Amino acid sequence: MATLRERITAPTHLDLPEAIGGVTFRAGSTEDLVAVHGVAIEAAALDDPGAHPSTADFERTLSTEGLDVARDTIVAVDADGHVQAYGIVIGVPSPVTAARIVLDGAVRPDHRGAGIGRRVFGWQVERGRQRLAAVDLDLPATIEVGARQGSPALGLAARFGFAPTRHWLDMQVVFDDQHPVAVPAVPEGLVVRPATTDDIEPLRLAKNDAFRDHWGSQPMVASDWRGFLTAEKCRLDLSRVVLDADGAVLAFAIVEVDPAAFAARGRSFGYVHWVGVVRSARGRGLAPVVLDSALQAMRDDGLSAAALDVDAENPSGAGRIYERLGFVAGSVHVTASTAL
């Protein structure tokens, strides 16, 4: 095979879309953060009612290593300068087994049907091609978009040749409904405790090892990982790690809590962003041990539920582990992609 630079044809210069229906397009900036968040909230209320995008999520996205806000974002503004749609092109950092571009965007519901979304998405795809064409590595490459099953975003992506490649189950356990479950005992010589800021780098190394064979996962770079674990909604005190006798991280469950999202789900909850076991420690029952400890911490903190997303095709059987701990599957989200 050839490198992506050699394989992919992309425009040298990318023009902004032409104006349509009184809406014009310009590059986004960090000053658009509040307005973009407002568009995302309105769109989610219609397209994915259980979700509540946070400003912190966008701040974190725009600080992704390698993302150039002026070149990788676009906004659609009306005659009064109000943002009615946005698009962000995110290159997943540190490609090792694949080069991935993830597209994020939305159109305010009352401005749909005028072709704004098609223009934004078309621009994103071409910018994604530009970014991939700059990669001098011989790797498979994809441009991807994720959305709730049946949402307009997936229909739009299909018009551009994107096809479903992965399904993700939103799972939730309500603590009042949870029945007692048998969890394996902590193996002798191991310790389960809350995570701390001193664990951030060891956790990154553990995460990269644990997820190395998971679909689409690429090594997390230090700056992005620290951004995740030091964000306001990250709760290291509710997160849990399993350590061996030498203090090495063998397993982990990272918890986030965003009170602004409680109303969308209809209850207070903690979101388990990652559950992982390093490959050398698999087969010892550490995943249910570390996750159950995190669930107990959330319950003790006064939260009424826990939620997570799991790859429906995950070969490790993670979904079955979550079901045994009382999680019930709900809505389905889809990753649709096109390969280059």
Side-chain angles (χ1 to χ4, degrees):
M1 293 178 66
T3 68
L4 297 181
R5 188 186 299 276
E6 295 167 329
R7 295 199 328 253
I8 296 176
T9 301
T12 303
H13 174 74
L14 182 58
D15 290 323
L16 291 167
E18 294 182 0
I20 184 172
V23 169
T24 58
F25 300 87
R26 63 168 172 79
S29 75
T30 55
E31 294 180 357
D32 295 314
L33 184 63
V34 173
V36 164
H37 180 241
V39 173
I41 290 294
E42 286 192 28
L46 181 64
D47 302 331
D48 194 0
H52 184 90
S54 72
T55 304
D57 291 333
F58 283 100
E59 290 174 341
R60 192 164 58 194
T61 295
L62 295 180
S63 66
T64 300
E65 186 170 292
L67 189 146
D68 183 336
V69 175
R71 300 187 65 195
D72 294 327
T73 67
I74 185 174
V75 293
V77 297
D78 61 20
D80 296 320
H82 298 138
V83 174
Q84 303 297 344
Y86 72 91
I88 307 174
V89 179
I90 307 146
V92 176
S94 111
V96 173
T97 60
R100 299 172 56 216
I101 296 292
V102 178
L103 309 183
D104 179 35
V107 180
R108 206 180 295 274
D110 62 5
H111 276 67
R112 294 179 180 178
I116 297 170
R118 290 193 296 275
R119 281 166 165 72
V120 169
F121 197 84
W123 180 90
Q124 288 179 285
V125 170
E126 292 305 300
R127 177 56 186 152
R129 293 181 68 91
Q130 278 189 330
R131 292 200 58 176
L132 290 173
V135 177
D136 211 9
L137 296 171
D138 179 4
L139 292 173
T142 57
I143 301 177
E144 305 168 6
V145 62
R148 190 171 187 264
Q149 192 171 52
S151 69
L154 294 176
L156 176 60
R159 296 179 62 174
F160 282 80
F162 285 57
T165 51
R166 217 67 175 180
H167 294 77
W168 310 86
L169 304 178
D170 178 305
M171 302 190 76
Q172 176 176 271
V173 56
V174 178
F175 297 138
D176 287 346
D177 299 337
Q178 187 182 23
H179 301 295
V181 293
V183 176
V186 180
E188 186 176 353
L190 304 187
V191 174
V192 183
R193 65 160 172 79
T196 71
T197 53
D198 290 338
D199 297 319
I200 289 178
E201 181 58 14
L203 275 167
R204 182 180 75 89
L205 299 177
K207 186 269 180 191
N208 287 346
D209 180 75
F211 282 79
R212 189 181 303 179
D213 53 0
H214 286 222
W215 180 86
S217 181
Q218 301 300 306
M220 184 73 74
V221 298
S223 59
D224 288 347
W225 182 252
R226 179 166 288 275
F228 274 108
L229 267 63
T230 58
E232 184 177 354
K233 68 178 182 177
C234 184
R235 292 287 301 273
L236 291 179
D237 60 316
L238 303 182
S239 303
R240 290 294 183 267
V241 293
V242 177
L243 308 177
D244 67 12
D246 297 322
V249 176
L250 300 184
F252 53 89
I254 306 299
V255 175
E256 297 179 343
V257 178
D258 180 10
F262 292 174
R265 193 169 283 270
R267 64 181 69 251
S268 63
F269 72 99
Y271 179 72
V272 187
H273 203 131
W274 289 283
V275 180
V277 179
V278 300
R279 290 180 297 168
S280 64
R282 290 178 181 173
R284 303 175 65 181
L286 298 186
V289 166
V290 75
L291 179 54
D292 183 66
S293 182
L295 295 179
Q296 293 303 322
M298 285 184 265
R299 181 198 290 269
D300 293 344
D301 197 57
L303 297 171
S304 65
L308 51 76
D309 290 288
V310 63
D311 180 352
E313 290 88 15
N314 187 320
S316 71
R320 293 190 296 275
I321 293 173
Y322 304 149
E323 288 174 350
R324 288 199 294 270
L325 290 173
F327 283 86
V328 176
S331 61
V332 178
H333 289 73
V334 178
T335 295
S337 67
T338 184
L340 288 86

